Each structure stands twice: as C-alpha cells, then as structure tokens.
Amino acid sequence: MKRIAPITGIAMSLFTGSALAADLPMRDQAPFYPAPIFTWTGLYAGINGGLSFGGFTNGGSSFFGSSGGGMVGGTVGYNFQGGPLVVGVEADLDWADINGSASPFPAVSAQGTINETNTVRARLGYSFDRALVYATGGWAGASVSGNLSNFLTTPGLIINQSHYMNGYAVGAGIEYSITPRVSVKAEYLFTALGPNTYFGGTWNAINTGVNYSTVRAGINYHF
C-alpha cells in the first residue's frame, strides 16, 4: 500500500496538470488573408510605340508611293472580366512620322506623311490567368499631309495640304500582367483611311487614301 500511494499521487498530479493546461487560453494565431484573385477588370493607361508600313491608294500610289515610319503615344482603356472572357474599350493617340514619296512625272515630286493617328476600339479577349489574348477593332483617324513640287508649271513653289482622314482599324494582340498593376503587350493593327482630295485646282489633283499595318509594343498601369 505504501508503494501504491506515491504512484497514485504522481498520476493525480499529471491528470491535474493536463486539465489545467486544457483550461489555459490558446495563443493568438496570425490572421490568414487569402491571396487576392487576379482580374483584368478596371481602368488602365499606358504608353506604346512601334513601326508602320503600307501604301497610299488610288491616285496617291503614284504620287506618294509606299509608306513607312514609326509612332509613339499614349493609351487609355477599361476592361471588364467575366470568367475567362474579357471585354473592354481602348483609345490611343500617337504622334507619327510615316511617309512615302515618289516622282509621278518628270520634274514633279511629291510626299505624303501621316503625322498623327488616333483609334477608339473595342477589345474582346480570353484570359489565361495573367495572360490575355484578344482581338480588337473600331474607328481610326489620322492627320495626313501631302506636298507637291512641279518644276514645269510652278518652279520653286511647293504646295502643301493636310486632311484628317477617317476609317477603321482591326487587329489582335497579347497582353501579360507582370505584376498586379503593370502589364506589357504586343499588338498588330491594320488601318484603312480615306479617301481625300489633294492638290485640288491644280493639274496634279489626286484622290487618295492610305492603308498601313502597325506592329507595336506597350506597357500599361492598371488602377
């Protein structure tokens, strides 16, 4: 009996200690915040730049020839995402130097230059999480100037006219979000503009439009 008493006391102490430990308050755990789900929904703005190449149409093909050059500018847009589908609208304004020149007749030289381009386009895309593949299309416009020098009829005189041409732009691209706020994109656009009359009232009056392709890259910040 004397041996049983100490063993019983030890057992009671262990049981009492366990019960008291169970009654003690648990330590506070750090709160758990799940990672936010990525979405393309929202307003964004950015910059873009690229190269364009194409040609003037109708009478402009012989006066201005093919065109080529670069552009750089800004972009603003808004996306809405539902499931993997992303729809939105985007507008951009680019300063350009896309030009072509030719000599349609002896002693006659001319040059056509796209100085500024604008688009307002719808976008429809499919999202693979942070990657977005999209098609786009809508209105396009550009400020296009033409100058002409005819040594035979008006030596030393250069006629310079400028018109704002309207048309459309269609294309496709891919955009990737490198951070929740910053994305980069690569895009192709085909633009068809015009026509308009240049050098009206002269022997060299022409009616021309312009078609050109643009390959460009951009970076956007998402608010």
Side-chain angles (χ1 to χ4, degrees), residues 27-45:
R27 291 182 179 179
D28 292 337
Q29 295 183 354
F32 173 73
Y33 298 106
I37 299 175
F38 178 79
T39 178
W40 287 97
T41 297
L43 178 70
Y44 62 91

Side-chain angles (χ1 to χ4, degrees), residues 113 115 143-146 160-164 198:
T113 304
N115 302 297
S143 175
V144 184
S145 63
N160 194 307
Q161 292 182 340
S162 182
H163 293 293
Y164 196 88
Y198 285 83

Side-chain angles (χ1 to χ4, degrees), residues 200-223:
T202 74
W203 292 100
N204 301 118
I206 57 172
N207 186 263
T208 184
V210 59
N211 298 337
Y212 59 95
S213 295
T214 300
V215 178
R216 65 183 181 180
I219 182 168
N220 291 324
Y221 182 84
H222 298 256
F223 298 95

Side-chain angles (χ1 to χ4, degrees), residues 2 44 48 65 74 88 111 120 122 128 149 176 184 187 211:
K2 292 180 179 179
Y44 62 91
N48 68 81
Q111 182 180 51
V120 179
F128 300 90
S149 174
Y176 184 79
V184 293
E187 185 175 67
N211 298 337

Side-chain angles (χ1 to χ4, degrees), residues 95-213:
W95 291 268
D97 184 19
I98 307 166
N99 58 73
S101 60
S103 179
F105 310 107
V108 177
S109 62
Q111 182 180 51
T113 304
I114 301 171
N115 302 297
E116 174 190 309
T117 69
N118 313 86
T119 71
V120 179
R121 296 168 286 107
R123 296 206 311 172
L124 175 62
Y126 192 94
S127 170
F128 300 90
D129 191 28
R130 290 178 178 268
L132 175 66
V133 179
Y134 62 89
T136 182
W139 169 84
S143 175
V144 184
S145 63
N147 62 67
L148 172 74
S149 174
N150 189 328
F151 181 78
L152 294 179
T153 59
T154 52
L157 177 64
I158 297 178
I159 301 173
N160 194 307
Q161 292 182 340
S162 182
H163 293 293
Y164 196 88
M165 293 187 178
N166 293 281
Y168 66 89
V170 294
I174 183 170
E175 190 167 358
Y176 184 79
S177 180
I178 56 178
T179 75
R181 295 289 187 184
V182 179
S183 66
V184 293
K185 71 175 183 180
E187 185 175 67
Y188 166 80
L189 289 177
F190 172 79
T191 304
L193 303 173
N196 268 294
T197 299
Y198 285 83
F199 319 129
T202 74
W203 292 100
N204 301 118
I206 57 172
N207 186 263
T208 184
V210 59
N211 298 337
Y212 59 95
S213 295

